[in-house]
Amino acid sequence: MLYHGTTIGGLSIIKANAKSHTSEKTVAYFTEDRCYALVCCRTREENFVTMGLRGDGKQHYFERFPDQLKILYGGKRGYIYTIAAADGLVNTKGHTWESETDVFVHQYEIVDDVYAEILKEEQAGNIVIHRYLEIDPIEQQQNANYIKEHINDQGEEMRRFYLTHFSSLWD
């Protein structure tokens, strides 16, 4: 099964309107991993994903500022769309799939509180969450200072996001 997570409800088609990370073409993204689809249920202004597949085959989410998961997903509604088949899609890396054409939705799920759903996935053993306070303070500081050094690299929306969530952590 392939999933697409978003904050946009009522979709019947997942449009190929994102830039591919591998080919620079315009694509629609999908994942085999429902946990990853859940963290894609965020707004463009909060396009900050700190999760990836590790050697144990599980997604690992790393909080880079205090209460990151709760702040980004707590009480927020998301939509998980599934598609019927992977015909015409390309597996680009790990559990990620791309389509250069729009893809019809097979079914969808409304997630009333994305944060609560991510915590359920953690309890089920499908995701490992590395909370900010559990991360080595040296690593915390390195990440915060990296953000400070690159605050203007990703446009004004991300600059505002970084100022809001990281400026109190900078040296």
Side-chain angles (χ1 to χ4, degrees):
M1 184 170 295
L2 294 177
Y3 304 96
H4 178 88
T6 182
T7 58
I8 302 168
L11 299 179
S12 58
I13 295 174
I14 305 301
K15 293 192 175 275
N17 61 7
K19 186 177 261 190
S20 171
H21 298 298
T22 58
S23 70
E24 298 296 317
K25 294 180 181 180
T26 304
V27 299
Y29 275 111
F30 298 91
T31 178
E32 297 172 23
D33 194 323
R34 184 174 179 275
C35 294
Y36 196 84
L38 283 167
V39 302
C40 289
C41 295
R42 66 192 184 290
T43 64
R44 180 180 163 144
E45 296 82 21
E46 298 174 324
N47 190 15
F48 189 70
V49 177
T50 54
M51 185 165 93
L53 202 58
R54 297 289 186 234
D56 62 3
K58 295 181 182 183
Q59 293 286 353
H60 285 247
Y61 189 99
F62 293 84
E63 287 191 326
R64 297 301 181 199
F65 59 86
D67 295 319
Q68 178 178 322
L69 265 175
K70 188 173 187 179
I71 290 168
L72 294 181
Y73 301 102
K76 296 182 182 176
R77 177 174 280 180
Y79 300 85
I80 305 292
Y81 295 94
T82 57
I83 59 175
D87 299 338
L89 275 71
V90 176
N91 181 226
T92 56
K93 181 181 176 188
H95 295 179
T96 304
W97 293 74
E98 295 179 353
S99 173
E100 292 181 18
T101 60
D102 297 346
V103 178
F104 286 97
V105 169
H106 175 67
Q107 62 186 28
Y108 69 93
E109 168 189 2
I110 299 171
V111 180
D112 287 321
D113 186 336
V114 176
Y115 177 65
E117 197 66 22
I118 291 170
L119 294 181
K120 286 180 190 174
E121 292 287 349
E122 178 187 32
Q123 290 173 343
N126 298 325
I127 182 174
V128 177
I129 300 172
H130 303 271
R131 289 172 174 76
Y132 183 78
L133 294 177
E134 299 168 354
I135 295 172
D136 183 289
I138 294 170
E139 183 180 341
Q140 292 172 354
Q141 199 61 54
Q142 288 172 335
N143 284 306
N145 288 337
Y146 179 86
I147 296 289
K148 181 180 180 182
E149 292 167 10
H150 297 274
I151 193 166
N152 296 313
D153 291 359
Q154 297 177 330
E156 186 57 31
E157 284 178 338
M158 286 309 295
R159 183 180 184 285
R160 284 192 300 269
F161 177 87
Y162 294 145
L163 283 170
T164 299
H165 299 292
F166 286 92
S167 61
S168 66
L169 305 174
W170 294 334
D171 284 337

